[in-house]
Amino acid sequence: MHVDLGGVLGATPGVSRDSLERLDEQVATAHERIAAGRDDHERGYAALNLPARVDLDAIRSAVAPFTDAEAVLTVGIGGSALGAATLADALAGPDDPDVYVLDNVDPEHVPRLLDSLPLERTAVNVVSKSGTTAETLSNFLVVREAMADAGVDWTERTVVTTGESGNLRALADAHDLPSLPVPDGVPGRFSVLSPVGLAVAAIQGHDLDAIRAGAAEAADSLSGSLFETPAYAYGAAAYALANRGATTNAMMPYAERLETFAEWFAQLWAESLGKDGLGQTPTRALGATDQHSQLQLYRAGPREKLVTLLRPTDRPACPIPETDLEGLSYLGGSTLGDLLDAEFDATGASLAASGVPVIRVEIDGIDERSLGALLYGMEAACVLYGELAGVSTFTQPAVEWGKRAARGLLGGGEFEEAEAVEERTSLRIDP
Ligand SMILES: O=P(O)(O)OC[C@H]1O[C@](O)(CO)[C@@H](O)[C@@H]1O
């Protein structure tokens, strides 16, 4: 992962070179804290040890029964789905099994998806760290029943990734299902480089060692200075910009294969840093598509955005045929890759021209090694940002209120939150 901060110097809000150098003292202190957390394999920091600790052979042997699958259905939500989906969408090859994700409980979508799948040749990858998440467990019960109705033995088609306890662990043990651990001390949104994110990549036959090697390279690059560590440069600059008013971070990859990465990044950034009234709101965009929907706002709207432009430097070409169409001949003979790169550079310059802070992030290509480095790099950037902001990066207490309310509404116990839902204020306008 290569990071260019040129687009934040002199922007509004922006960060000067001097400020970055002053901030680098705090980065050195934060890095010591992160290194100490890693040395003690402390909760949260332990995620940054995964390249050295993940057992790739265990993943490969757990999914071995499924490598002939025509389809892979991941049943999980949040960190238990987005990492696997990011790797699957980025690395998908023409001969890979199709990958689907059930990370919502939509009563129309779920049965429609299940009806469309070859269930007897589908691998079900059910993932939940807690093993108690309502959406994941209810979806899995629906999937299990659909398989039974289709005469398919779900215990032959299911691999489980979960914690040491919980419903899923009990189910896996009761039916002797192939299962993988969610490593202890690793929050869901930081678990892509564990079995949580790698099981599907293993079923697809991707090079897990290359993913790990890319992540290990990024781990080795962590040092006490943002001027030597791309991940820390990104985290520190984003933090400094948020303090100066850039409270939105628009993650804009210029590659279709990285669109799901922007979703993964959104959970990482939002759930880790959104605390104590602080945080930077991640939004998702896609280059060049959203130049034609969002760019107007980015350039001429409220000055509260950082735009992160992400691209692979090595990408396929796809020649644009010569044409004599009026005003288009300039395109003939170049490639879609050239056009997309020109759009990337032009959009960066257009934002800079209107003083909007831009950070350019480049990866060598869209391959296992580059993805490993990018995912690890952004995790380390997030941990550093959290250290600088003084927030507890590895917890997400604010999500529990809604879970208790929903559980109470469905008769799953007495919860004051459920009563609060009933007592909500309404000002309903009917047609
Ligand atoms: O893996 P689990 O325990 O099912 O949780 C899924 C997701 O739900 C959250 O706990 C938020 O509700 C996320 O942090 C997590 O990634």
Coordinates of all heavy atoms in Angstrom, one line a residue, residues 112-168:
R112 N -35.7 -16.1 -2.3 CA -35.4 -16.0 -3.7 C -33.9 -16.4 -4.0 O -33.7 -17.1 -4.9 CB -35.6 -14.5 -4.2 CG -35.4 -14.3 -5.6 CD -36.1 -13.0 -6.1 NE -35.8 -11.8 -5.2 CZ -34.8 -11.0 -5.3 NH1 -33.9 -11.3 -6.3 NH2 -34.6 -10.0 -4.5
L113 N -33.0 -16.0 -3.1 CA -31.6 -16.4 -3.3 C -31.5 -17.9 -3.2 O -30.9 -18.6 -4.0 CB -30.7 -15.7 -2.3 CG -29.2 -16.2 -2.3 CD1 -28.6 -16.0 -3.7 CD2 -28.4 -15.5 -1.2
L114 N -32.1 -18.5 -2.1 CA -32.0 -19.9 -1.9 C -32.6 -20.7 -3.0 O -32.1 -21.7 -3.5 CB -32.6 -20.3 -0.5 CG -31.9 -19.7 0.7 CD1 -32.7 -20.0 2.0 CD2 -30.5 -20.2 0.8
D115 N -33.7 -20.2 -3.6 CA -34.3 -20.9 -4.7 C -33.4 -20.9 -5.9 O -33.4 -21.8 -6.8 CB -35.6 -20.2 -5.1 CG -36.7 -20.5 -4.1 OD1 -36.5 -21.4 -3.3 OD2 -37.7 -19.7 -4.2
S116 N -32.5 -19.9 -6.0 CA -31.7 -19.8 -7.2 C -30.4 -20.6 -7.1 O -29.6 -20.8 -8.0 CB -31.3 -18.3 -7.4 OG -30.3 -18.0 -6.4
L117 N -30.1 -21.1 -5.9 CA -28.8 -21.8 -5.6 C -28.9 -23.3 -5.9 O -29.9 -23.9 -5.6 CB -28.4 -21.6 -4.2 CG -27.9 -20.2 -3.8 CD1 -27.5 -20.1 -2.4 CD2 -26.7 -19.8 -4.7
P118 N -27.8 -23.9 -6.4 CA -27.8 -25.4 -6.5 C -27.4 -26.0 -5.1 O -26.2 -26.3 -4.8 CB -26.6 -25.6 -7.5 CG -25.7 -24.5 -7.3 CD -26.6 -23.3 -6.9
L119 N -28.4 -26.1 -4.2 CA -28.1 -26.4 -2.8 C -27.2 -27.6 -2.6 O -26.4 -27.6 -1.7 CB -29.4 -26.4 -2.0 CG -30.2 -25.1 -2.0 CD1 -31.5 -25.4 -1.2 CD2 -29.4 -24.0 -1.3
E120 N -27.4 -28.6 -3.4 CA -26.6 -29.9 -3.3 C -25.1 -29.6 -3.6 O -24.3 -30.4 -3.3 CB -27.2 -31.0 -4.1 CG -27.1 -30.8 -5.6 CD -28.1 -29.8 -6.2 OE1 -28.9 -29.2 -5.4 OE2 -28.0 -29.5 -7.4
R121 N -24.8 -28.6 -4.3 CA -23.4 -28.3 -4.7 C -23.0 -26.9 -4.1 O -22.1 -26.2 -4.7 CB -23.3 -28.3 -6.2 CG -23.5 -29.7 -6.8 CD -23.2 -29.7 -8.3 NE -24.1 -28.7 -9.1 CZ -25.4 -28.9 -9.3 NH1 -26.0 -30.0 -8.8 NH2 -26.1 -28.0 -9.9
T122 N -23.7 -26.5 -3.0 CA -23.4 -25.2 -2.4 C -22.7 -25.5 -1.1 O -23.1 -26.4 -0.3 CB -24.7 -24.4 -2.2 OG1 -25.2 -24.1 -3.4 CG2 -24.4 -23.2 -1.4
A123 N -21.6 -24.7 -0.8 CA -21.0 -24.8 0.5 C -21.6 -23.7 1.4 O -21.6 -22.5 0.9 CB -19.5 -24.6 0.4
V124 N -22.0 -24.0 2.6 CA -22.6 -23.0 3.5 C -21.5 -22.6 4.5 O -21.0 -23.5 5.2 CB -23.9 -23.5 4.1 CG1 -24.4 -22.4 5.1 CG2 -24.9 -23.8 3.1
N125 N -21.1 -21.4 4.5 CA -20.1 -20.9 5.4 C -20.7 -20.0 6.4 O -21.0 -18.8 6.1 CB -19.0 -20.1 4.5 CG -18.0 -19.4 5.4 OD1 -17.4 -20.0 6.2 ND2 -17.8 -18.1 5.1
V126 N -21.1 -20.6 7.6 CA -21.8 -19.7 8.6 C -20.8 -19.2 9.6 O -20.0 -20.0 10.1 CB -22.9 -20.5 9.2 CG1 -22.5 -21.8 9.9 CG2 -23.7 -19.7 10.2
V127 N -20.8 -17.9 9.8 CA -19.8 -17.2 10.6 C -20.4 -16.3 11.6 O -21.2 -15.5 11.3 CB -18.9 -16.4 9.7 CG1 -17.7 -15.9 10.5 CG2 -18.4 -17.2 8.5
S128 N -20.0 -16.5 12.9 CA -20.5 -15.5 13.9 C -19.5 -15.7 15.1 O -19.4 -16.7 15.7 CB -21.9 -15.8 14.4 OG -22.2 -15.0 15.5
K129 N -18.9 -14.6 15.4 CA -17.9 -14.6 16.6 C -18.7 -15.0 17.9 O -18.3 -15.8 18.6 CB -17.2 -13.3 16.7 CG -16.2 -13.1 17.8 CD -15.6 -11.8 17.8 CE -14.7 -11.5 19.0 NZ -13.6 -12.3 19.2
S130 N -19.8 -14.3 18.1 CA -20.5 -14.5 19.3 C -21.4 -15.8 19.3 O -21.7 -16.4 20.3 CB -21.5 -13.3 19.5 OG -22.4 -13.3 18.4
G131 N -21.8 -16.1 18.0 CA -22.6 -17.3 17.9 C -24.1 -17.0 18.3 O -24.9 -17.9 18.4
T132 N -24.4 -15.8 18.5 CA -25.7 -15.4 19.0 C -26.4 -14.4 18.2 O -27.5 -14.0 18.5 CB -25.6 -14.9 20.4 OG1 -24.8 -13.7 20.4 CG2 -25.1 -15.9 21.4
T133 N -25.8 -13.9 17.1 CA -26.3 -12.8 16.3 C -27.6 -13.2 15.7 O -27.7 -14.1 14.9 CB -25.3 -12.3 15.3 OG1 -24.2 -11.8 16.0 CG2 -25.8 -11.2 14.5
A134 N -28.7 -12.5 15.9 CA -30.1 -12.9 15.5 C -30.2 -13.1 14.0 O -30.7 -14.1 13.5 CB -31.1 -11.8 16.0
E135 N -29.6 -12.1 13.3 CA -29.7 -12.2 11.8 C -29.0 -13.4 11.3 O -29.6 -14.2 10.4 CB -29.1 -10.9 11.2 CG -29.8 -9.6 11.5 CD -29.2 -8.9 12.8 OE1 -28.5 -9.6 13.5 OE2 -29.5 -7.7 13.0
T136 N -27.8 -13.7 11.7 CA -27.1 -14.8 11.2 C -27.7 -16.1 11.6 O -27.9 -17.0 10.8 CB -25.6 -14.7 11.8 OG1 -25.0 -13.5 11.3 CG2 -24.8 -15.9 11.3
L137 N -28.1 -16.3 12.9 CA -28.7 -17.5 13.3 C -30.1 -17.8 12.6 O -30.3 -18.9 12.1 CB -28.9 -17.5 14.8 CG -27.6 -17.9 15.6 CD1 -27.4 -19.4 15.4 CD2 -26.4 -17.1 15.4
S138 N -30.9 -16.7 12.5 CA -32.2 -16.9 11.9 C -32.0 -17.3 10.4 O -32.7 -18.2 9.8 CB -33.1 -15.7 12.0 OG -32.4 -14.6 11.7
N139 N -31.1 -16.6 9.7 CA -30.8 -16.9 8.3 C -30.3 -18.3 8.2 O -30.7 -19.1 7.3 CB -29.8 -15.9 7.7 CG -30.4 -14.7 7.1 OD1 -31.6 -14.8 6.7 ND2 -29.7 -13.7 6.9
F140 N -29.5 -18.8 9.1 CA -29.0 -20.1 9.0 C -30.1 -21.2 9.2 O -30.1 -22.2 8.5 CB -27.8 -20.4 10.0 CG -27.3 -21.7 9.9 CD1 -26.7 -22.2 8.8 CD2 -27.3 -22.6 11.0 CE1 -26.2 -23.5 8.7 CE2 -26.8 -23.9 10.9 CZ -26.3 -24.3 9.7
L141 N -31.0 -20.9 10.1 CA -32.1 -21.8 10.3 C -32.9 -21.9 9.0 O -33.4 -23.0 8.6 CB -33.0 -21.3 11.5 CG -32.3 -21.3 12.9 CD1 -33.2 -20.7 13.9 CD2 -31.9 -22.8 13.3
V142 N -33.1 -20.8 8.4 CA -33.9 -20.8 7.1 C -33.1 -21.6 6.0 O -33.7 -22.4 5.3 CB -34.2 -19.3 6.6 CG1 -34.8 -19.3 5.2 CG2 -35.1 -18.6 7.6
V143 N -31.8 -21.4 6.0 CA -31.0 -22.1 5.0 C -31.0 -23.6 5.2 O -31.2 -24.4 4.3 CB -29.5 -21.6 5.0 CG1 -28.6 -22.5 4.2 CG2 -29.4 -20.2 4.6
R144 N -30.9 -23.9 6.5 CA -30.9 -25.4 6.9 C -32.2 -26.0 6.5 O -32.2 -27.1 5.9 CB -30.7 -25.4 8.4 CG -30.1 -26.7 8.9 CD -29.8 -26.6 10.4 NE -31.0 -26.5 11.3 CZ -31.0 -26.8 12.6 NH1 -29.8 -27.2 13.1 NH2 -32.0 -26.6 13.3
E145 N -33.3 -25.3 6.8 CA -34.6 -25.9 6.4 C -34.8 -26.0 4.9 O -35.3 -27.0 4.3 CB -35.7 -25.0 7.0 CG -37.1 -25.7 6.8 CD -38.1 -25.0 7.7 OE1 -38.3 -25.4 8.8 OE2 -38.8 -24.0 7.2
A146 N -34.3 -25.0 4.1 CA -34.4 -25.1 2.7 C -33.6 -26.2 2.1 O -34.0 -26.9 1.2 CB -33.8 -23.8 2.1
M147 N -32.4 -26.5 2.8 CA -31.6 -27.7 2.3 C -32.4 -29.0 2.6 O -32.5 -29.8 1.8 CB -30.3 -27.6 3.0 CG -29.4 -26.6 2.4 SD -27.6 -26.7 2.9 CE -26.8 -26.4 1.4
A148 N -32.9 -29.0 3.8 CA -33.7 -30.2 4.2 C -34.8 -30.4 3.2 O -35.0 -31.6 2.7 CB -34.2 -30.1 5.6
D149 N -35.6 -29.4 2.9 CA -36.7 -29.5 2.0 C -36.2 -29.9 0.6 O -37.0 -30.6 -0.1 CB -37.4 -28.1 1.8 CG -38.1 -27.7 3.1 OD1 -38.2 -28.6 4.0 OD2 -38.5 -26.5 3.3
A150 N -35.0 -29.6 0.3 CA -34.5 -30.0 -1.1 C -33.8 -31.4 -1.0 O -33.1 -31.8 -2.0 CB -33.4 -28.9 -1.5
G151 N -33.9 -32.0 0.2 CA -33.3 -33.3 0.3 C -31.8 -33.3 0.4 O -31.1 -34.3 0.1
V152 N -31.3 -32.2 0.8 CA -29.8 -32.1 0.9 C -29.4 -32.1 2.4 O -30.0 -31.5 3.2 CB -29.3 -30.7 0.3 CG1 -27.8 -30.5 0.5 CG2 -29.7 -30.6 -1.1
D153 N -28.4 -32.9 2.7 CA -28.0 -33.1 4.1 C -27.1 -31.9 4.4 O -25.9 -31.8 4.0 CB -27.2 -34.4 4.3 CG -26.6 -34.5 5.7 OD1 -26.8 -33.5 6.5 OD2 -26.1 -35.6 6.1
W154 N -27.7 -30.9 5.2 CA -26.9 -29.6 5.5 C -25.7 -29.9 6.2 O -24.7 -29.1 6.1 CB -27.9 -28.7 6.2 CG -28.3 -29.1 7.6 CD1 -29.4 -29.9 7.9 CD2 -27.6 -28.9 8.8 NE1 -29.4 -30.2 9.2 CE2 -28.3 -29.6 9.8 CE3 -26.4 -28.2 9.2 CZ2 -27.9 -29.5 11.2 CZ3 -26.1 -28.2 10.5 CH2 -26.8 -28.8 11.5
T155 N -25.6 -31.0 7.0 CA -24.4 -31.2 7.8 C -23.2 -31.6 6.9 O -22.1 -31.5 7.3 CB -24.6 -32.4 8.8 OG1 -24.8 -33.6 8.1 CG2 -25.8 -32.1 9.8
E156 N -23.5 -32.0 5.7 CA -22.5 -32.4 4.7 C -22.1 -31.1 3.9 O -21.1 -31.1 3.2 CB -23.1 -33.4 3.7 CG -23.4 -34.7 4.3 CD -22.2 -35.5 4.6 OE1 -21.2 -35.5 3.8 OE2 -22.1 -36.0 5.8
R157 N -22.8 -30.0 4.0 CA -22.5 -28.8 3.2 C -22.2 -27.6 4.0 O -22.1 -26.5 3.5 CB -23.8 -28.5 2.3 CG -24.4 -29.6 1.5 CD -23.5 -30.2 0.4 NE -22.7 -29.2 -0.3 CZ -21.6 -29.5 -1.0 NH1 -21.2 -30.8 -1.0 NH2 -20.9 -28.6 -1.6
T158 N -22.0 -27.8 5.3 CA -21.8 -26.6 6.2 C -20.4 -26.6 6.9 O -20.0 -27.6 7.4 CB -22.9 -26.6 7.2 OG1 -24.2 -26.5 6.6 CG2 -22.8 -25.4 8.2
V159 N -19.8 -25.5 6.9 CA -18.6 -25.2 7.7 C -18.9 -24.0 8.6 O -19.5 -23.1 8.1 CB -17.3 -25.0 6.8 CG1 -17.5 -23.8 5.9 CG2 -16.1 -24.8 7.7
V160 N -18.4 -24.1 9.8 CA -18.8 -23.1 10.8 C -17.5 -22.4 11.3 O -16.5 -23.0 11.5 CB -19.4 -23.7 12.0 CG1 -19.6 -22.8 13.2 CG2 -20.8 -24.3 11.7
T161 N -17.6 -21.1 11.4 CA -16.5 -20.3 12.0 C -17.1 -19.5 13.2 O -18.0 -18.7 12.9 CB -15.8 -19.4 11.0 OG1 -15.3 -20.1 9.9 CG2 -14.6 -18.6 11.7
T162 N -16.6 -19.8 14.4 CA -17.3 -19.1 15.5 C -16.3 -19.1 16.7 O -15.2 -19.6 16.6 CB -18.6 -19.8 15.9 OG1 -19.3 -19.0 16.8 CG2 -18.4 -21.2 16.5
G163 N -16.8 -18.6 17.8 CA -16.0 -18.5 19.0 C -16.0 -19.8 19.8 O -16.5 -20.8 19.3
E164 N -15.4 -19.8 21.0 CA -15.3 -21.0 21.8 C -16.6 -21.4 22.4 O -16.8 -22.5 22.8 CB -14.3 -20.8 22.9 CG -12.8 -21.0 22.4 CD -11.8 -20.3 23.3 OE1 -12.2 -20.0 24.4 OE2 -10.6 -20.2 22.9
S165 N -17.6 -20.5 22.5 CA -18.9 -20.8 23.1 C -20.0 -20.2 22.2 O -19.7 -19.6 21.2 CB -19.0 -20.2 24.5 OG -18.8 -18.8 24.4
G166 N -21.2 -20.4 22.6 CA -22.3 -19.8 21.8 C -23.1 -20.9 21.1 O -22.7 -22.1 21.0
N167 N -24.2 -20.5 20.5 CA -25.1 -21.5 19.8 C -24.4 -22.2 18.6 O -24.6 -23.4 18.4 CB -26.3 -20.7 19.2 CG -27.1 -19.9 20.3 OD1 -26.7 -18.7 20.5 ND2 -28.0 -20.5 20.9
L168 N -23.6 -21.4 17.9 CA -23.0 -22.0 16.7 C -22.0 -23.1 17.1 O -21.8 -24.1 16.5 CB -22.3 -21.0 15.8 CG -23.2 -20.4 14.7 CD1 -22.3 -19.5 13.9 CD2 -23.8 -21.5 13.8

